[in-house]
Amino acid sequence: MTWSYPADPSITSLPALARSRMQDGGKVFIRNGDGRSFSFDETWALAGRLAGALRAHGVGKGDRVAVQVDKSPEAVILFLACARAGAIFLPLNTAYTLNEVDYFVGDAEPRAIVAAPAKASDLAELGARHKVAATLSLGTTGDGTLMEAAAAQDEDFADAPTDWDDLVAILYTSGTTGRSKGAMLTHGNLASNALALIETWRFTERDVLIHALPVYHTHGLFTATDTLLLSGGTMLFRAKFDADEVMRLMPEATTMMGVPTFYTRLLQHPGLTREATAHMRVFISGSAPLLAETHREFEARTGHRIIERYGMTETNMNTSNPYDGDRIAGTVGLPLPGVALRIADPDTGKVLQQGEIGMIELKGPNVFRGYWRMPEKTASEFRADGYFITGDLGRIEPNGYVSIVGRGKDLVITGGFNVYPKEVETEIDAISGVVESAVIGLPHADFGEGVTAVVVARPGTVDEAAVLAALDGRLAKFKLPKRVLFVDDLPRNAMGKVQKNLLRERFNALYR
Ligand code: AMP
């Protein structure tokens, strides 16, 4: 299937599409951890009131609404409200400091800020400095000045006229180097992706999703929420991942979307068995690489083969292992319906042969409109024929499955040779006693960069000499780590991604 917009010409926005697909308005859309729940009709009505409150505060078409609040059903319904008001939702990680928020507000120039009650006065002051018209608060129990303003509004809200190509959200990428960039997403980007995922993962109104992801990031905000919204399923919201709690929810749930850390933590739970997961239809993983070993262990314990998929803030979801076909550990599967994927030479852009490693490039209705107020940066990340240069290196296997070998910026160049960290990590992870590893390049006088392995191992198992001995003969000499360092844990961000930049900073002087 290739994506086509709904035939009904009056449906030209994500909310309108959602409304047109709501079959049973009385059915629960979000059940929160505190027992509060919202049916589809209640969700729609609250979105209408919130949209009215935003409009009353001067928020109009194309205005940005910056939102830094803790996870709650209202936080997600606020996204729908912005979409109905024709505004652009701009979620901010709750971990961002005032200093960081200052940059985002200065860059995005929102019309309104919605803050967690505890931060509301600081953000109001910050907003006033940036001439933001209104700062409102939103708590996690339906409290806050935004909810008070919404209560005074009618639920019948006349949606702003919108087009599929209108912006509906700006998500700032985590950006490990340089300035954080605002990825501009349209109604069409989100709607097309949700429909592709519903088709690929077979979501229906009978699905109940365990939702323990944050809602400031594309995974919890769009991949999970839009898919359930458009399929008419139910989400069980939890403020954060807790293995005990997730195990308790499984008998009433059918699906879970998680980052790999969710799965490694579940594997540490003694209650994870075939019986405990018998009601589940599918487990889905993404946002960071799922170790092949985790995939296999999870299958051995539960009988479920986790579906690994690949996406990013700028493109929504791109590929997924199939629902019916083979779910292959260590791969991210096949392009989603409507998504074109190719592997190109990172320097020249020449499309490479199947099997060769290169830059993953993408085109499709899922791909964003560019970076907010960065036309040059945007232009440099697209090829002339419209393909987006993802920054991820990968290869297409003979069976068409895509494997990711790492971020382009993580590539190590040693003595003029390219070393793909994933290849070395896979060998190290297979050594008995090793829990996981991260391979980085560090400045080296002779080689330019020295291949360096940072390893987490079970106590008393392996040391540097043992790791090097195990790798000898398994990899070309130039790929072998010059040093093997041991740490208790690899640094990870909230989405489970290993922060190699922190490792590079920490060990920067190793070879000097
Ligand atoms: P974000 O924009 O925060 O969602 O990060 C997107 C990046 O996460 C991608 O460009 C990939 O580098 C990485 N990523 C997402 N899913 C996967 C996956 N299944 N395997 C490996 N890397 C992934």
Side-chain angles (χ1 to χ4, degrees), residues 100-426:
E100 289 164 311
V101 174
D102 195 84
Y103 163 71
F104 296 118
V105 169
D107 190 51
E109 298 187 305
R111 182 92 191 170
I113 297 176
V114 180
K119 286 191 179 167
S121 70
D122 281 348
L123 286 186
E125 202 177 294
L126 186 155
R129 245 188 301 120
H130 287 281
K131 310 225 173 339
V132 176
T135 298
L136 298 151
S137 64
L138 177 64
T140 54
T141 57
D143 54 315
T145 56
L146 175 64
M147 293 303 286
E148 287 161 22
Q153 295 290 322
D154 201 288
E155 66 179 58
D156 286 326
F157 177 82
D159 290 21
T162 33
D163 186 78
W164 286 118
D165 287 335
D166 285 339
L167 297 188
V168 69
I170 296 177
L171 265 58
Y172 279 86
T173 57
S174 35
T176 47
T177 48
R179 289 167 63 203
S180 189
K181 308 179 290 281
M184 301 189 288
L185 297 157
T186 66
H187 285 266
N189 290 152
L190 302 186
S192 64
N193 210 237
L195 294 178
L197 295 178
I198 288 170
E199 180 184 322
T200 304
W201 296 334
R202 311 279 166 86
F203 271 84
T204 72
E205 72 287 349
R206 290 185 301 281
D207 274 306
V208 179
L209 177 88
I210 299 175
H211 189 306
L213 293 158
V215 292
Y216 52 73
H217 183 271
T218 187
H219 194 167
L221 180 60
F222 298 140
T223 312
T225 302
D226 294 345
T227 301
L228 275 285
L229 178 70
L230 296 192
S231 61
T234 298
M235 299 193 284
L236 306 177
F237 259 35
R238 289 298 177 272
K240 58 177 178 40
F241 180 86
D242 175 275
D244 284 332
E245 184 64 9
V246 166
M247 289 307 306
R248 260 196 299 279
L249 292 176
M250 277 190 200
E252 50 179 325
T254 61
T255 53
M256 184 173 89
M257 295 187 196
V259 295
T261 331
F262 287 14
Y263 294 102
T264 50
R265 292 209 203 137
L266 282 176
L267 280 169
Q268 288 160 14
H269 196 287
L272 186 80
T273 59
R274 247 165 219 274
E275 297 70 43
T277 57
H279 194 256
M280 294 291 283
R281 180 173 72 79
V282 65
F283 291 90
I284 300 165
S285 175
S287 288
L290 181 78
L291 290 180
E293 185 191 317
T294 308
H295 193 275
R296 284 193 281 270
E297 273 182 40
F298 201 85
E299 184 182 11
R301 285 271 289 279
T302 67
H304 288 279
R305 291 177 70 78
I306 299 170
I307 289 190
E308 182 168 11
R309 66 26 169 209
Y310 157 59
M312 60 197 302
T313 302
E314 288 92 331
T315 61
N316 302 284
M317 299 305 104
N318 304 313
T319 69
S320 174
N321 272 274
Y323 192 80
D324 283 333
D326 221 357
R327 302 177 189 173
I328 302 180
T331 82
V332 294
L334 304 158
L336 294 176
V339 177
L341 183 150
R342 70 186 183 194
I343 306 289
D345 181 306
D347 299 322
T348 64
K350 184 174 154 285
V351 178
L352 297 176
Q353 300 284 315
Q354 181 264 313
E356 288 187 87
I357 291 177
M359 180 63 68
I360 299 179
E361 300 187 351
L362 293 158
K363 196 171 170 175
N366 53 317
V367 176
F368 75 139
R369 282 309 128 99
Y371 295 110
W372 173 256
R373 291 187 178 161
M374 290 187 173
E376 279 134 43
K377 181 79 191 154
T378 302
S380 69
E381 308 236 335
F382 281 88
R383 301 279 180 209
D385 59 358
Y387 275 77
F388 173 60
I389 306 166
T390 61
D392 291 315
L393 296 169
R395 95 163 79 76
I396 301 177
E397 310 290 349
N399 54 10
Y401 283 51
V402 178
S403 296
I404 297 180
V405 299
R407 291 291 297 166
K409 64 178 181 338
D410 292 334
L411 178 71
V412 184
I413 305 182
T414 182
F417 290 109
N418 287 359
V419 178
Y420 297 99
K422 173 96 181 280
E423 192 188 359
V424 186
E425 289 160 6
T426 306

Side-chain angles (χ1 to χ4, degrees), residues 481-495:
K482 304 256 170 306
R483 289 292 313 275
V484 180
L485 310 172
F486 289 85
V487 294
D488 291 340
D489 293 295
L490 295 177
R492 284 198 150 80
N493 71 9
M495 299 311 292

